[in-house]
Amino acid sequence: MQFADKRNTTRWAIIFFSFIIISIILWNTYIFFQIFKNEERLKMELLATAQKTLINADEHTELDLPLKIFSNNTTIPIIVTEKDSIINTINIEDAIINNEQKSKSLLSQLKKENEPIVIEYVPGKFQYLYYGNSSLINKLKYYPIALLLIIVLFGMLVYNFYRSTKMATENKLWAGMAKETAHQIGTPLSSLIGWLEILKVENVEETTVLEIEKDILRLQNITDRFSKIGSEPILETKDIIAETTLSLSYLQSRFSKQVVFSYKVPDFPISVSLNPILFSWTIENLIKNAIDAMRGRGKLDVVIEMEGEFVKINITDTGKGIPKSQFKSIFEPGFTTKKRGWGLGLSLTKRIVEEYHNGKIKVLQSEVNKGTTLQISFRKVL
C-alpha cells in the first residue's frame, strides 16, 4: 500500500512540474511576442517619420536615410491613407492593390491588428499608417498552439505506452494466476478420482457415484479452462448451436425455479472456429452474470441468429440493468457492482471471445431496472 502511495505521489509530482515548465514556456513566449510587437511598432514609427520627411522634402533634404528605412522593410504590410483614401502601400500584392474590394478588406484587417500611426506632415493635415503583423509575429502567435498540440500528442503517447505496459503486466498476472489455480486444483482432484474408483468397488449406490462423477468431471473441466487461459488455445470447427445447447443443458438443471428460461436457435447447424471448453466457460459466465443481475428471479432469453457472415448470441435478462456510462467499464478487470466479487468474470469472457476467438462482445442494449442484452458474435466458417 505504501509503495502504491509513493508511486502515485511521484506521478502527481511529475505532472505538477510538467505543468510548471509548460506555463513558463508559454509565459516566455508571450513576453517574446510583446517584445517583437513593440519593436515592430518602433520600426513603423520610424517609417512614419521617414514618410513625413519625404512628403516635406525639398532640394536640400537628405533622402538617403528615409529611403533606406523604406527599403529595409520587406515583411510588414503597410497601407497609408489620407481622408479615407489609400495613397500608398508597401509589401502588398498587386492583385489586392488593383482590386478595390480586396484592398478595403485588407485595410479593415490591418485596423484590427494594430493601432494606426498618425502622421501630421503639415499642421492640420494628417495621414494614417496602418500596418499588419510580420510573418515572424504570425509564426510566434501560433507557436503556443503548436507547442500545446505537441505536448498533448506526447502525453497521449506516454499514456498509451503506460496503459499497454500495464495491460501486458495484468495479462501476465492473470495468466500466471490461472495456471497456478489449475495446478492447485489438480492435486486434490487426482485424489478424488482415486476415491471415486474405491466407491465403485465398494458398491455404493449408483446414483450417488454418478453425481460425484459429474462433479469431478466438472472440476476437471474447470481445471482445463484455467490451464488454457495462459496459453494459445486450439480452435476447432464446431457447431455453435450444439455447443451452446450442451452448455445450457448443464446450467439449466441448476437454475432456480424462479428463472423462466427461453432458448431460440435456427434449425440448422452453424460452423464456427472455437475452443469448446473456453466457449462453454463464456456461456456459463454470461448466464450466471444475468441470473445475478436478476437476483435469481426473472426471465432469461438466449437467442442465436445469423447476420451475414456472423453468428450472434444474445443473452437478455430482466435484471437491474446497466447505466450507459458503464457499458465499457463492466469488461474491465476488477469492475464489479457486487458486494462480494472479484470483477473478473466478464473480463475473462471478453478475453476469451476477442483475443482467443477473434469475436466481439458488447452490451447491445440496457435499461436501468428493466434489463440488459449482452451480445457475443463470431465469424462463421464457410
Side-chain angles (χ1 to χ4, degrees):
M1 189 67 178
Q2 290 180 349
F3 174 75
D5 291 340
K6 287 181 180 179
R7 187 171 60 181
N8 286 331
T9 302
T10 303
R11 187 180 302 159
W12 281 110
I14 292 171
I15 292 172
F16 175 75
F17 284 114
S18 299
F19 178 77
I20 295 295
I21 292 170
I22 292 168
S23 300
I24 292 172
I25 293 172
L26 292 177
W27 176 249
N28 279 304
T29 303
Y30 173 76
I31 292 174
F32 290 150
F33 181 80
Q34 293 302 319
I35 290 172
F36 287 131
K37 285 278 286 185
N38 291 334
E39 286 185 356
E40 288 194 353
R41 181 79 182 181
L42 290 173
K43 288 180 181 178
M44 292 302 99
E45 287 175 353
L46 286 174
L47 197 144
T49 303
Q51 173 77 359
K52 182 177 179 180
T53 301
L54 290 174
I55 293 172
N56 296 317
D58 55 25
E59 64 273 12
H60 303 292
T61 304
E62 180 60 51
L63 298 179
D64 288 345
L65 183 59
L67 291 174
K68 189 173 182 179
I69 292 172
F70 271 94
S71 63
N72 282 339
N73 174 40
T74 58
T75 59
I76 303 174
I78 296 172
I79 294 179
V80 180
T81 66
E82 186 174 356
K83 295 180 181 180
D84 297 326
S85 297
I86 297 174
I87 61 171
N88 191 17
T89 60
I90 301 173
N91 297 326
I92 296 174
E93 297 176 1
D94 293 338
I96 297 176
I97 297 170
N98 298 327
N99 188 305
E100 184 178 355
Q101 186 176 357
K102 289 182 179 180
S103 59
K104 286 184 177 180
S105 175
L106 178 60
L107 179 60
S108 299
Q109 180 184 332
L110 297 185
K111 286 180 179 179
K112 294 176 183 177
E113 290 185 8
N114 296 289
E115 287 292 323
I117 296 173
V118 181
I119 305 171
E120 188 177 9
Y121 58 93
V122 294
K125 290 189 177 183
F126 301 92
Q127 290 183 354
Y128 297 88
L129 188 150
Y130 297 95
Y131 67 98
N133 294 324
S134 65
S135 57
L136 178 61
I137 288 288
N138 286 328
K139 289 176 182 177
L140 195 60
K141 183 168 61 176
Y142 294 112
Y143 172 74
I145 298 174
L147 178 64
L148 286 174
L149 285 174
I150 292 170
I151 292 168
V152 168
L153 290 173
F154 181 74
M156 290 173 64
L157 184 64
V158 171
Y159 173 76
N160 186 59
F161 174 76
Y162 169 76
R163 184 175 175 82
S164 299
T165 304
K166 184 180 178 183
M167 288 179 65
T169 304
E170 287 179 351
N171 286 338
K172 288 180 180 179
L173 176 62
W174 297 130
M177 288 179 64
K179 284 188 173 183
E180 181 62 21
T181 302
H183 176 71
Q184 293 293 336
I185 293 175
T187 303
L189 185 58
S190 299
S191 179
L192 285 174
I193 293 170
W195 282 109
L196 179 63
E197 293 302 319
I198 292 174
L199 290 176
K200 288 178 180 180
V201 172
E202 293 291 333
N203 294 320
V204 177
E205 188 179 347
E206 188 177 354
T207 54
T208 302
V209 174
L210 285 174
E211 288 303 316
I212 294 174
E213 191 170 21
K214 284 182 183 178
D215 287 332
I216 289 176
L217 288 172
R218 179 67 177 164
L219 285 171
Q220 285 179 321
N221 191 27
I222 292 170
T223 304
D224 201 10
R225 289 174 179 177
F226 277 104
S227 67
K228 284 180 169 54
I229 283 296
S231 57
E232 191 70 26
I234 298 172
L235 302 183
E236 306 172 33
T237 300
K238 293 284 186 178
D239 177 13
I240 195 169
I241 294 176
E243 293 298 324
T244 306
T245 304
L246 185 64
S247 298
L248 291 176
S249 63
Y250 173 83
L251 293 169
Q252 194 171 1
S253 62
R254 288 160 174 78
F255 287 159
S256 165
K257 299 295 183 183
Q258 294 178 321
V259 176
V260 180
F261 179 82
S262 73
Y263 182 45
K264 297 179 182 178
V265 298
D267 56 359
F268 52 86
I270 302 173
S271 296
V272 172
S273 291
L274 52 81
N275 181 280
I277 294 173
L278 292 182
F279 176 75
S280 67
W281 197 3
T282 298
I283 298 298
E284 182 179 320
N285 279 340
L286 294 178
I287 294 295
K288 286 184 176 180
N289 190 71
I291 292 174
D292 287 342
M294 298 188 296
R295 296 179 181 176
R297 178 186 302 175
K299 185 180 180 184
L300 183 64
D301 297 327
V302 178
V303 178
I304 300 179
E305 57 188 8
M306 290 288 299
E307 189 174 306
E309 57 185 13
F310 293 93
V311 55
K312 299 187 176 182
I313 304 175
N314 296 334
I315 298 174
T316 304
D317 62 61
T318 54
K320 58 186 177 181
I322 304 168
K324 197 168 185 179
S325 59
Q326 295 180 358
F327 276 18
K328 293 184 178 179
S329 302
I330 63 170
F331 298 109
E332 294 178 0
F335 181 89
T336 181
T337 57
K338 303 173 189 175
K339 290 183 179 179
R340 294 182 180 180
W342 291 86
L344 297 179
L346 288 177
S347 174
L348 285 170
T349 302
K350 181 179 174 69
R351 180 169 182 170
I352 291 169
V353 172
E354 297 190 352
E355 292 188 27
Y356 295 157
H357 291 87
N358 294 318
K360 292 291 181 183
I361 183 169
K362 65 179 180 180
V363 180
L364 187 62
Q365 60 182 23
S366 185
E367 193 172 344
V368 177
N369 297 323
K370 288 193 176 181
T372 301
T373 299
L374 286 175
Q375 182 184 84
I376 54 175
S377 58
F378 303 95
R379 189 182 296 273
K380 66 179 183 179
V381 176
L382 301 177

